[in-house]
Every structure is written in C-alpha cells, then in structure tokens.
Amino acid sequence: MSTRDRAAALSADIAERLADPGGVRALLPPSPEPSRALTLSDGAPGIALLHLERGRVAEAALGAAHRWLADAVTHAKNPSDGTPPSAPGLYLGIPALSFAMCRAELVSGRPVRAAARLAGHVRAFARGLAAWEGRRRPHDGECVSVGTYDVISGLAGLGAHLLDGRQDGVEGSGEALAEVLTALTKLAVPLRLDGRSLPGWWTAQHSSGYAPTAPETGHANVGLAHGAPGPLALLALAWRHGVVVPGQERAIRVLAEWLMGIERQDEEGGWWPRTLVLAPDGAPTANESGPGRASWCYGTVGIARALYLAGSALDVPEWRRAALTAWRAALSRARRTHDGPAGARLTDAGLCHGWAGVLQATWRMADDTGDPQLRAWLPWLADRVLDLAATDQPFGLRPPLPDADTVSDPAGFLTGAAGAALALHTFATDTAPATRWDRALLLA
C-alpha cells in the first residue's frame, strides 16, 4: 500500500472514530476547562471541520458534521458549563462556531441560517478589537498585547475569517476586514521606550506564559501562532486578494524585513528564534541559542510561510528565496534530528506543534512554488504522522505528550486527531482543501 493510500485510510479511520460527539466526549479525560467545548482548538467546531472537508468525498461525513455543529450550537445556547457565549478570538466561542458554519455553507452550496447571524457577531468583535488597538499610543511606550493581534485570540485570526467572508460575498466582511487591517498596520509604528525604539509588536509580557510584566522584561514574539508572522500573513493574503488599506504595504515591509534581519544560520541553513528579549545593553536579542523543533506554531515552516506570502504579495524575490531556503533547511534538520533527543524533534501528530502542521504547511508551500524538493519531502512527512498511528488508542493516534503541566487535547483540531486527519486528507488527495480549513492557520 502506498503512503498516499495509507494516509487516506488513517484519515478515514480517524473520522469514523470521531463521528459521534457523545462517544468522543466519553473517551476524553475530564477537562478542567469546560469552555473548550466551543473552540476550534479542542471542541465541536474544530472537529466539525474534519467531517465538512471529507463531505466532498464521503457523503456520510456530512451527517457527522451536522451532529458536531448541532452539538456546538447547543453549547453556544446553553453556556451553563462555563462556555462563554462570546469571545473576541477566532478559536473561542462564537467566532469558532462561525468559522465552522461558514465551512458548512461552502460544502453545502447553500446558505446556513445561523451563519449570517454569527458572522455579524464576528464583525462586531473584530471592529471592537480594532478600535481598541487604534487607541493605543506606541509613541508613549504603550505596548500591544499578544492577544490583541495574534492568530488564536486576536486580530490576525479574526481577519482570516473576515477575509473568507469577503471572498464568499458575506455582507459587511470587507468593511470589517479593512478596519482590522488598518489596526494591524499600527504594528509598523515603533514603540518608544526610554529613548529607545523597539518593534511595534513588542509586548509587556513574559516570553514564557505571557504573564504581564514591564516592557523592559517583555519580548517580541516570532512564532506564526502568537507572533509578528501572523499579522504579516494576514496582511499579505489580503493584499493578494485585492484588499488594501493605507499603510498596508509599509507594514508588510517592516514586518518582513524584521524577519529577514533576525534570521540565524547553522550548518543546514536559516532558522528563527521563538522570541526576542532585551539584552543587558538594551538591544533586542534572540532568547534561544539554536533552532527548535520544526512546527507551525513557532517553527521555521510557519515563519517562512508568512515571509513567502509577503514576498509573493509584494513581489520581493529575496523574501521568497529566503523562505524557501530556510524551509528546506528546516526539513533537513527535522530528518537529522528525527532519531535524536526528544527536545530537538517533533513527537506529536497534531497541527500546532506536530508533524501534521509541517505536512500541511509544506503541501501548501510546494503547491504554491512548484518546488520539486518540497514535493519530494511530502511522503516522508506523511510517514511521520503515520508512524504515530495507534489502533489501540480511542482516536487512532498516539496521544500528544504532556508539555510541562499542560496535556494537549487528543481528539481536536489543533493538537489532536481531527487536525492530523485533515492534513493526511490533503496529502492523500493532493488537492487544496475545499473548505479552506487551513485559513484558520493562516497558511493560505
């Protein structure tokens, strides 16, 4: 059986295991956070994405998608378990449900009654957060927070959903998206702190855990999930789709050139640190001495994808070359360290910090560039996900390893089986996702 056939079989097996919300919930460990039920990362909206994507090739999957969406709606209407009825970020609450409902419209080809109402709430959340950022005073040393601009909780993620809405002709999406983009262009304004100039996305939050701190002990985040590459990817994707606001080109150039300037090199090629902090002399410096694991959330593939999108949007060959070269280096490094120490390699199957995220990102990059070297890597990456198949586990994959005191979700979209199955489905079909589910990762 070929790698593609095995990938298709595992994706289908996982989908079958994730078909019934009640059955899945019974197999999950008790969660200290009931609000996870209405999230893209762990909950019903995220798992629905798998079945919606598979609905184009497996009609029974649409029934499973309907069950998960109905389950999500129940949680939204009856938040007695602690689920907030609304939240500003893409991954939690109403925006998460709205994202999934819009995928349902794409698959069905007809309006979904709740989708328009939910989209209106998302526009309101986005406009409110954009207005909040618009009142910030970077010249007076007022820092932005990660949760204001990032993909998971902030403007970059909400903007990704609004960009979808504009593409699909959802009324009001274009105007709200323009407000989000305008707010994000403010990141190009330097932060003035005690006579020094720091990047406009410098946060007064610790680099580990994001607890509030003074700007002097804060950081600049470099990961796609929570750092500057997230806004860069959105600004670039919007540009590619003809959505342009004043200051957008400058912001793209400021963010992209910053990434170019902080890139490091080792024997395999380029890599980026996770965070920058202030050195004793007051200059921003890398908080890590060497490349970490390849991943979507903080690894080279996520960062390089944002840089490539920027280079494509503004037609800057240097950025595209740097992104492609660093990508090849990251994959070579991943192969070299595959059998090495756990701290230097990926051990999970999921999208966020596992092999599936690297597989999906590399498929997108190979599809965009036509690069034969990247396409040649795809079966090897798919094999790494397949290596983690475990028929004795409830969701068909070895569960994610605990990270410090946090146990990642074994079933959901971001770290669990649903997301891994989606990436395997892309690889197996060698076709761009019909539902654009990876817009939630700002990969395309």
Side-chain angles (χ1 to χ4, degrees):
M1 185 181 292
S2 71
T3 301
R4 290 195 189 280
D5 290 340
R6 290 165 54 224
L10 181 55
S11 180
D13 178 60
I14 292 170
E16 185 175 348
R17 292 169 185 252
L18 294 174
D20 176 60
V24 169
R25 198 164 289 119
L27 294 169
L28 287 171
S31 173
E33 302 175 47
S35 61
R36 286 184 175 183
L38 194 59
T39 67
L40 276 185
S41 52
D42 304 327
I47 295 176
L49 297 180
L50 169 62
H51 300 295
L52 289 168
E53 181 63 32
R54 291 184 55 79
R56 290 295 181 96
V57 296
E59 188 174 344
L62 293 180
H66 183 269
R67 289 191 291 275
W68 280 103
L69 290 174
D71 186 78
V73 169
T74 299
H75 283 287
K77 288 181 176 178
N78 304 293
S80 58
D81 63 356
T83 302
S86 63
L90 174 61
Y91 275 70
L92 180 61
I94 295 302
L97 179 55
S98 176
F99 187 84
M101 285 293 188
C102 288
R103 309 309 101 184
E105 287 194 322
L106 282 174
V107 172
S108 68
R110 61 180 183 272
V112 174
R113 187 168 54 183
R117 183 171 66 255
L118 292 168
H121 288 302
V122 173
R123 291 194 297 273
F125 297 149
R127 284 180 160 141
L129 194 56
W132 175 272
E133 170 60 8
R135 291 190 292 269
R136 185 173 61 89
R137 301 184 305 276
H139 288 302
D140 295 334
E142 191 172 344
C143 294
V144 70
S145 70
V146 167
T148 298
Y149 70 77
D150 77 351
V151 175
I152 303 298
S153 304
L155 290 167
L158 290 172
H161 187 11
L162 292 170
L163 179 58
D164 261 339
R166 183 188 180 278
Q167 286 179 245
D168 298 330
V170 177
E171 184 179 357
S173 294
E175 293 83 352
L177 175 60
E179 293 180 34
V180 167
L181 297 175
T182 298
L184 289 175
T185 64
K186 193 169 183 178
L187 295 176
V189 178
L191 179 74
R192 302 296 180 185
L193 184 66
D194 297 331
R196 288 174 300 184
S197 178
L198 294 173
W201 48 95
W202 192 271
T203 71
Q205 295 168 279
H206 285 291
S207 58
S208 176
Y210 309 136
T213 186
E216 292 82 1
T217 51
H219 75 287
N221 198 299
V222 190
L224 177 56
H226 297 295
L232 176 60
L234 176 65
L235 290 164
L237 284 169
W239 186 284
R240 289 173 65 172
H241 286 281
V243 187
V244 179
V245 299
Q248 185 170 343
E249 179 176 355
R250 178 175 179 271
I252 292 173
R253 291 188 183 278
V254 167
L255 288 158
E257 289 295 347
W258 182 74
L259 289 177
M260 292 289 290
I262 66 170
E263 185 184 12
R264 302 294 187 262
Q265 297 287 329
D266 66 6
E267 62 274 13
E268 263 129 355
W271 61 275
W272 282 273
R274 290 169 57 99
T275 55
L276 266 63
V277 297
L278 291 184
D281 64 0
T285 186
N287 202 24
E288 295 79 29
S289 59
R293 296 170 293 183
S295 64
W296 166 76
C297 56
Y298 278 100
T300 291
V301 298
I303 299 164
R305 180 59 178 165
L307 185 60
Y308 179 85
L309 291 171
S312 176
L314 299 188
D315 192 20
V316 182
E318 181 186 7
W319 300 348
R320 296 198 300 268
R321 283 195 300 270
L324 188 56
T325 301
W327 205 299
R328 293 170 179 156
L331 296 180
S332 295
R333 202 178 290 116
R335 174 172 277 174
R336 177 173 56 81
T337 59
H338 175 56
D339 296 321
R345 60 184 170 91
L346 297 179
T347 55
D348 293 346
L351 292 172
C352 183
H353 46 266
W355 288 111
V358 182
L359 174 62
Q360 184 68 23
T362 303
W363 189 92
R364 280 292 190 181
M365 191 71 162
D367 188 56
D368 271 4
T369 63
D371 183 68
Q373 291 186 44
L374 291 189
R375 287 204 64 83
W377 276 102
L378 293 173
W380 186 84
L381 293 170
D383 275 332
R384 303 290 69 77
V385 182
L386 294 167
D387 286 346
L388 297 170
T391 57
D392 60 331
Q393 293 295 325
F395 309 118
L397 286 171
R398 191 183 307 166
L401 295 176
D403 184 11
D405 295 328
T406 302
V407 178
S408 295
D409 181 82
F413 170 74
L414 197 57
T415 61
L422 279 163
L424 289 172
H425 182 75
T426 299
F427 169 75
T429 60
D430 200 25
T431 304
T435 60
R436 298 197 298 265
W437 62 262
D438 56 353
R439 177 62 57 80
L441 305 176
L442 274 178
L443 291 176

